[in-house]
Amino acid sequence: MTTGLIPGGQPPEPTGERMPHQRHEPAGPAALPSDDRPRSSVITARAAASFEPVGRSVATARSFVRDTLQGWGYADIVDDAVVLTSELVTNAVVHAGTHAEVLCLRTEDGVRIEVSDRYPEREVPLQDSAAPMGSPDRESGRGLQLCAALATRWGVDYTPTHKNVWFQLDLPARTVGTRAAGPALPADLLPLADGRVRVAVLQVDRKGTISAWNEDAEELFGFPADAVVGKPLTELAAWPHTPGTGTGIAEAFQLSRWEGTYGIRGADGRVSHVYASHLRVRDTGGEPSTVCLLVRDHERAVLQTPSRGPATDQTPSGDGQNTDPFEVFIGSPAPDDLDGLLQRTVERARDMLDGDSAFLLLATDDETELEVRASTGLPSARQRFARVPVDAGPGRYGSARMPAVHDDLAAVPGAVPLLTGTGMRSVVTVPLKVEGRLTGSLGVAAEAPGRYTNEEALRLQFAADRIALAVESARLGELERLRRGSLSFLVEASDLLAGTLDRDQTLALMAQMTVPTLATWCAVYTIADQASEPDLSYVLHEDEDLIDGIKSLLSKISPPDPVPTPGARVWTTPGEVAHQAALRSSMRSLGLTGGSTHQFASGIGPTLATASAVGGETVVLPLVARNRVIGMLTLGKPTDEHFRQEILELAEDLSRRAALALDNARLYSERTAISQALQRSLLPPGLPQIDGVEVEVIYRAAGEGNEVGGDFYDLFPIGDGAYGFAIGDVCGTGPNAAAVTGLARHALRLLAREGLSGPAVLERLNSAILDEGDRSRFLTLLYGELRPQRDGSAELKVVCAGHPLPLRLRQDGTVVAAAEPQPLLGVIEDLELYEETVTLDPGDVLLCVTDGVTERREGTRMLGDDGLADVLTTCTGLTAGAVAARIMRAVERFASDAPSDDMAILTMRVPEILPEA
């Protein structure tokens, strides 16, 4: 379907050549009236849509016309327009088999709708033809009859390529200035309001951002306009939305009109309950936005739309025919999906009885429990799929199988478990039955007591009888889709488990995929080796507040036996122990004594909520990988709930995939731990404190810790006030590179402390590297000796063997190289190296880096030595740590990709000498 909406003005002419309209008007009773619409009528809006020649297009067309007219505020003629459009589009897409084009034109007096098809070969009625238009019982051909019965004006236009049927519906006459009116009431029956009623006016743009905020809004919520304009309304709104069931705030802003209750967080942090009326509008540029009118909730009568009148069994339409009561209650078209149908049902039921909330529950297969599937007006804590028993107590008022009216729930607490703690006082509930079998329950509740009588119960039961079969049909369709969705679930689970090699993340994924899709809570036990006991590694519950209680309970009882037999087996211990602990806790709270003492009486302390959470069926599935049990997956349900067989089969398939992923993560974690331990051994344990010289090192290893080798650094005392420092880079990674790294670092310390000069140390290290033979690697190395001087300066003797040159930053901001390049190590046997002397004056900085810094790339660009020098010039007056940090930030910002090489930065700075006071 394609749609277009054009504001204001006359409809544009279609593109391309088009023949003049040919109007044919048969004589006699069935004559088609001519188009006598006044040509001076101003078209204020236009909406168009095109529909493919498939059956589902009829429902889509009905929805398009309904939404368009409701958005224009023409609710009085929506039903007639939908019926006529449905018949005409059916003729086009079903019987004629062509595309249908629907055009809606809004005028000041009503609306004109045109339905065009592309089947001009159909028989053209002639003026002298008095043939009847067909029997009303025929499957097709009723569109023109309905137009004659319902429309104010209508007609048919023909062209060589199109057949166009149009009809016009005028708005009903109303008293000038009156939209709705109520009877005169005594003063004591009028709604209560404050001394001054404040109406907050907000405007929200298409992205949900506040664009306007009036003075009354400031008074009601405490925020000035400049503090909230430009922020999303979701930051302030406490939306009463049950996840997965109701209309969220984002969806509400997309509706042409919305009315209801939610909360606004004020400047003091408190939530004020407000009643709101939303209207979606467009500005002159065509941009949509939503105007929100808000009043205090107890002043809702200022904005609230008057409730509709009582529903009747048969509602006559404009042509004297009866309308299906199902469509009267649900609306046409009915939603195709179960959730949409249930949500619209509870919303219409709430509006029909003028209630504050409504809920719908579906029965389980054995008709012993009802689970919440849709609600409106209830707190978000009333989660979907929460279960309540069908027979909660003796008598008809304790069973969902019979209609029931409760005048005041405060007098019978727990009569409707779903409403406990919601503030609802009166409620009416009716059953949904199909062929005498209970399939669900529908209820409407109000905050005031005594709101409902048997008359309202009969009206609600009538509605429930009309929708029960449609709900059951949609539920069976959903079950079939769920079965077919099991394969997609396993494919997605496999992808997620294969995407990580981290053990902890694998455990978390196992639990998160299980809860709440397969179970209410789960626990994962792992087994390190065959001689080890199962260890409780991860616990998850759909209610986070219960996780600690379940973990405490499971940690105090013996884990299940690691049996490798495939399939789920029942584990009754958690439920039994939780039940015993809850019983003892209840007895202590009542001041009762007696009963056997249990070893779990102290220390566990599971609450009644924990006992309820684990009191249902608990099953254990083995995690078997490579012919060994490496753990167990435990799934649980709350009190009195049991697993369906298809859920257990799906969980078994999941456990096989999870076991292999967990074992792969274990092997990878062991390898990573070994690699990281070796990497740490190749770096110095710490840096010495040097009087008169600031030293800072930053080291960043590339990769994920699975490779060793690469860059290294060192700083160590030599003796007699001198310190040796080195920074190097071994060619390659892995064990061979790590061997050269370890050899270089330890050899440097040993040779330097023997009193050898820098060139002699490097020449002997070069010989040692070459002695490694095939395991040898090239090595670039910057080695030097540092001696602080009494005058506050520092003397350095440096040898740069194939390494990036060290840079010296003077106090005046100039940067120069502090050494000359010489051959790298591990290539030739006879090296002739020499050392250079550099004196760092107070305030000077020496920067040493590895090639991972200078070779940082972004496409074809590279940071290089010049780029590094440019960054260093901006570091005048900074400490050694600040210089290293600024260099690292510049390197990371140079490219968006993660570094592909290790990086090491060594900075040394001689502090400035402060003048004596």
Side-chain angles (χ1 to χ4, degrees):
M1 182 189 78
T2 57
T3 63
L5 188 62
I6 303 175
Q10 297 288 343
E13 290 294 333
T15 57
E17 296 292 334
R18 186 168 180 175
M19 298 295 293
H21 291 276
Q22 302 175 10
R23 192 177 313 281
H24 303 270
E25 301 175 355
L32 303 178
S34 62
D35 181 6
D36 56 355
R37 173 173 58 88
R39 297 302 173 184
S40 60
S41 298
V42 177
I43 297 175
T44 57
R46 173 183 185 271
S50 178
F51 303 93
E52 298 178 354
V54 294
R56 64 176 182 272
S57 294
V58 179
T60 308
R62 290 198 299 261
S63 178
F64 163 71
V65 171
R66 178 178 294 277
D67 293 343
T68 299
L69 299 192
Q70 287 179 343
W72 288 347
Y74 287 178
D76 294 332
I77 57 176
V78 164
D79 292 336
D80 288 347
V82 168
V83 170
L84 294 176
T85 303
S86 178
E87 289 295 332
L88 296 178
V89 173
T90 300
N91 291 339
V93 303
V94 176
H95 302 299
T98 75
H99 282 73
E101 298 174 358
V102 179
L103 174 64
C104 301
L105 302 175
R106 183 181 70 181
T107 66
E108 298 175 350
D109 302 325
V111 65
R112 173 186 170 110
I113 297 179
E114 300 180 1
V115 179
S116 302
D117 63 43
R118 302 174 186 177
Y119 194 57
E121 298 85 1
R122 301 173 69 184
E123 181 181 357
V124 179
L126 301 178
Q127 291 183 355
D128 58 353
S129 174
M133 302 177 67
S135 169
D137 297 329
R138 290 179 54 195
E139 181 182 0
S140 60
R142 295 176 299 187
L144 300 183
Q145 288 179 307
L146 289 176
C147 287
L150 301 181
T152 306
R153 302 179 186 86
W154 65 283
V156 183
D157 298 335
Y158 289 93
T159 72
T161 58
H162 287 75
K163 174 178 177 290
N164 183 53
V165 180
W166 62 269
F167 61 88
Q168 182 167 328
L169 297 172
D170 291 343
L171 291 176
R174 292 173 176 168
T175 304
V176 176
T178 302
R179 182 186 177 200
L185 294 176
D188 57 347
L189 296 181
L190 296 176
L192 293 176
D194 292 343
R196 174 187 174 188
V197 177
R198 298 186 182 273
V199 179
V201 181
L202 289 64
Q203 192 153 359
V204 181
D205 62 19
R206 65 190 311 168
K207 297 181 180 179
T209 303
I210 300 174
S211 58
W213 183 270
N214 72 341
E215 294 181 358
D216 279 358
E218 295 184 14
E219 292 292 334
L220 287 175
F221 311 123
F223 291 108
D226 56 0
V228 294
V229 171
K231 294 184 177 180
L233 182 58
T234 53
E235 293 185 4
L236 304 179
W239 193 259
H241 170 46
T242 301
T245 62
T247 300
I249 187 169
E251 291 81 2
F253 286 149
Q254 300 302 317
L255 301 177
S256 60
R257 185 179 295 276
W258 184 92
E259 191 173 315
T261 304
Y262 53 89
I264 294 292
R265 296 183 181 86
D268 57 359
R270 296 183 178 180
V271 176
S272 300
H273 295 284
V274 298
Y275 193 85
S277 176
H278 296 179
L279 177 65
R280 193 160 172 82
V281 299
R282 288 180 300 152
D283 60 20
T284 55
E287 287 295 320
S289 61
T290 302
V291 177
C292 309
L293 305 181
L294 289 78
V295 297
R296 295 181 178 93
D297 189 51
H298 65 273
E299 298 172 340
R300 62 171 58 191
V302 175
L303 301 178
Q304 190 171 27
T305 301
S307 59
R308 297 180 299 179
T312 57
D313 188 20
Q314 298 290 333
T315 303
S317 59
D319 58 357
Q321 299 178 356
N322 292 329
T323 304
D324 183 4
F326 173 78
E327 291 193 356
V328 171
F329 181 71
I330 294 298
S332 178
D336 296 330
D337 63 302
L338 177 61
D339 289 339
L341 176 61
L342 299 182
Q343 190 60 35
R344 185 178 291 186
T345 299
V346 296
E347 291 172 354
R348 295 296 169 87
R350 179 198 61 185
D351 295 342
M352 183 179 71
L353 298 187
D354 194 22
D356 297 311
S357 65
F359 52 89
L360 193 149
L361 303 90
L362 294 184
T364 55
D365 295 337
D366 56 4
E367 299 184 31
T368 60
E369 292 180 317
L370 297 166
E371 60 181 12
V372 181
R373 292 302 301 266
S375 64
T376 181
L378 293 180
S380 59
R382 306 299 168 187
Q383 294 293 337
R384 224 176 146 200
F385 299 113
R387 292 192 175 187
V388 297
V390 171
D391 298 308
R396 58 166 296 185
Y397 293 106
S399 175
R401 304 180 189 275
M402 299 291 291
V405 177
H406 293 277
D407 291 331
D408 193 351
L409 292 177
V412 282
V416 183
L418 179 64
L419 300 180
T420 301
T422 62
M424 300 297 163
R425 296 286 297 275
S426 55
V427 60
V428 52
T429 60
V430 296
L432 276 68
K433 293 184 177 181
V434 175
E435 297 180 351
R437 182 173 61 88
L438 179 68
T439 59
S441 177
L442 177 63
V444 178
E447 297 177 354
R451 283 280 296 276
Y452 302 114
T453 63
N454 290 338
E455 181 182 353
E456 281 80 8
L458 290 175
R459 291 171 56 195
L460 189 62
Q461 184 66 70
F462 169 79
D465 292 341
R466 302 303 302 178
I467 67 171
L469 184 60
V471 169
E472 181 66 6
S473 177
R475 186 183 73 88
L476 294 177
E478 181 192 63
L479 290 177
E480 180 62 25
R481 289 192 297 271
L482 289 176
R483 293 188 182 99
R484 285 184 287 179
S486 298
L487 181 60
S488 299
F489 171 78
L490 290 176
V491 170
E492 182 180 359
S494 299
D495 290 342
L496 291 174
L497 292 171
T500 178
L501 288 173
D502 181 82
R503 176 182 176 275
D504 294 337
Q505 189 173 0
T506 302
L507 291 173
L509 283 175
M510 291 171 57
Q512 291 168 5
M513 288 185 295
T514 304
V515 177
T517 304
L518 304 181
T520 306
W521 65 271
C522 82
V524 183
Y525 291 87
T526 56
I527 304 174
D529 52 63
Q530 295 181 354
S532 302
E533 290 293 326
D535 177 63
L536 182 61
S537 301
Y538 202 93
V539 176
L540 183 65
H541 190 281
E542 63 182 4
D543 186 351
E544 294 183 358
D545 295 336
L546 299 177
I547 294 177
D548 292 338
I550 297 177
K551 186 182 298 183
S552 176
L553 173 69
L554 296 179
S555 63
K556 298 298 182 179
I557 63 178
S558 299
D561 297 331
V563 178
T565 305
R569 54 193 173 91
V570 177
W571 185 31
T572 60
T573 305
E576 293 173 352
V577 173
H579 176 73
Q580 294 172 8
L583 181 59
R584 290 191 303 273
S585 176
S586 299
M587 293 177 65
R588 286 195 300 268
S589 66
L590 296 174
L592 302 177
T593 59
S596 59
T597 304
H598 196 278
Q599 58 178 334
F600 301 112
S602 61
I604 299 180
T607 62
L608 296 179
T610 302
S612 175
V614 301
E617 187 176 39
T618 301
V619 297
V620 178
L621 298 102
L623 299 175
V624 181
R626 299 178 176 90
N627 299 321
R628 185 174 72 88
V629 180
I630 63 171
M632 290 164 291
L633 178 63
T634 303
L635 307 180
K637 286 280 190 178
T639 301
D640 299 332
E641 288 197 23
H642 299 274
F643 287 96
R644 296 180 180 177
Q645 185 60 36
E646 57 268 23
I647 295 297
L648 293 179
E649 294 173 357
L650 184 59
E652 186 178 355
D653 289 337
L654 176 63
S655 66
R656 286 194 290 267
R657 291 164 170 78
L660 186 59
L662 182 62
D663 198 46
N664 290 338
R666 178 186 61 84
L667 296 174
Y668 178 79
S669 299
E670 292 177 355
R671 176 189 170 187
T672 301
I674 295 172
S675 176
Q676 291 175 346
L678 180 56
Q679 183 74 57
R680 289 192 296 268
S681 69
L682 301 177
L683 299 176
L687 298 177
Q689 296 291 332
I690 303 177
D691 294 336
V693 178
E694 299 174 1
V695 179
E696 183 65 30
V697 174
I698 296 179
Y699 180 81
R700 294 285 188 274
E704 301 178 357
N706 57 342
E707 293 183 342
V708 295
D711 299 0
F712 71 95
Y713 65 90
D714 202 357
L715 180 64
F716 53 90
I718 297 176
D720 194 21
Y723 295 84
F725 65 91
I727 184 169
D729 186 5
V730 178
C731 176
T733 58
N736 290 336
V740 176
T741 301
L743 172 65
R745 195 174 75 82
H746 294 292
L748 283 175
R749 290 198 172 206
L750 291 174
L751 295 173
R753 287 169 177 171
E754 290 296 325
L756 299 177
S757 64
V761 169
L762 268 60
E763 289 168 3
R764 285 166 174 75
L765 176 59
N766 180 65
S767 299
I769 294 175
L770 293 175
D771 290 342
E772 293 292 312
D774 295 339
R775 296 181 301 176
S776 65
R777 288 288 187 272
F778 303 150
L779 171 64
T780 67
L781 182 64
L782 172 65
Y783 173 76
E785 295 180 1
L786 168 67
R787 291 179 180 272
Q789 303 298 311
R790 291 185 176 181
D791 60 356
S793 62
E795 182 183 78
L796 289 81
K797 294 182 179 181
V798 183
V799 180
C800 186
H803 199 78
L805 301 180
L807 299 179
R808 176 184 179 185
L809 171 65
R810 294 192 176 97
Q811 269 193 305
D812 59 2
T814 58
V815 175
V816 296
E820 296 290 336
Q822 300 185 55
L824 52 78
L825 307 182
V827 180
I828 58 178
E829 294 184 359
D830 298 328
L831 282 180
E832 295 183 0
L833 304 174
Y834 59 91
E835 64 183 7
E836 301 172 75
T837 301
V838 179
T839 301
L840 295 181
D841 296 326
D844 287 357
V845 176
L846 184 72
L847 174 65
C848 310
V849 300
T850 57
D851 59 3
V853 174
T854 56
E855 295 179 4
R856 178 76 163 143
R857 294 180 179 275
E858 173 72 15
T860 59
R861 299 168 50 243
M862 185 173 72
L863 180 63
D865 296 332
D866 294 337
L868 181 63
D870 292 340
V871 178
L872 186 58
T873 57
T874 66
C875 299
T876 304
L878 300 182
T879 63
V883 172
R886 178 168 293 187
I887 296 297
M888 180 56 70
R889 285 197 302 270
V891 173
E892 291 174 343
R893 293 173 180 172
F894 186 79
S896 58
D897 296 336
S900 59
D901 193 6
D902 298 342
M903 293 185 292
I905 300 174
L906 170 64
T907 58
M908 291 179 287
R909 177 178 180 269
V910 179
E912 300 176 8
I913 301 176
L914 299 176
E916 296 182 359

